[in-house]
Amino acid sequence: MAAAETPAARQPQIADSSHAAERDQKLAQIGGNVSAIWRGWWTWGPGNGTWNLQIPWSVIGVNSTVVITASEIDANGNRFVGSAPFQVSSIAPANGVVTFKIDIGWNSPLPMRTDVLVFN
C-alpha cells in the first residue's frame, strides 16, 4: 500500500476493565511513604497511531505515582508480544483520572490491554 493510501490512525476506546477498587476499601499501611497500592486493568478496542488517553479511577490523585503498561491482546483478551510496538509515555495523574500517551506503531488498528499500578 502506498503512503498516500495508508488508512487514517484510529484512537483506541475502552472496551472492558477490571473491577476498580474504591479509595475507602480497607487501606493498610505497607511501609515507607506509600500507604496504598492499587492494581487495575482495562482492555481497549482496536486502535493505532499516537493518542492521549485517559483512565478515570477514584483512587488516583495529583500526588499519586502511576505506572502503566500496554500490550496487544488476542480475541480472548490474552496479552501477547506481537510484532507491533506499544509504547506508553507522558503519564500525568490528576484527581480521579490519569492521562497518558500511547503509541501503537502499526499500520492497522490493534486491540490492547493496559495494566495500571497506583501508589498513594
Side-chain angles (χ1 to χ4, degrees):
M1 181 179 280
E5 298 173 323
T6 301
R10 195 165 114 195
Q11 181 176 356
Q13 301 292 319
I14 291 176
D16 193 13
S17 71
S18 62
H19 296 287
E22 296 301 324
R23 200 176 271 277
D24 61 350
Q25 287 184 304
K26 298 183 182 174
L27 300 180
Q29 185 68 28
I30 59 174
N33 65 353
V34 175
S35 62
I37 299 175
W38 305 92
R39 177 185 175 271
W41 58 265
W42 286 258
T43 59
W44 302 74
N48 65 312
T50 302
W51 300 96
N52 289 336
L53 300 178
Q54 289 189 324
I55 296 174
W57 196 2
S58 65
V59 302
I60 299 171
V62 296
N63 293 317
S64 296
T65 298
V66 179
V67 178
I68 301 173
T69 63
S71 57
E72 188 172 354
I73 56 174
D74 63 20
N76 296 317
N78 298 312
R79 294 169 283 183
F80 70 95
V81 177
S83 297
F86 284 67
Q87 184 176 22
V88 175
S89 62
S90 303
I91 300 168
N95 285 326
V97 67
V98 63
T99 303
F100 63 99
K101 188 174 293 295
I102 184 76
D103 181 28
I104 302 172
W106 204 246
N107 62 357
S108 60
L110 299 172
M112 73 170 169
R113 172 175 160 162
T114 51
D115 287 86
V116 181
L117 287 173
V118 178
F119 297 88
N120 286 326

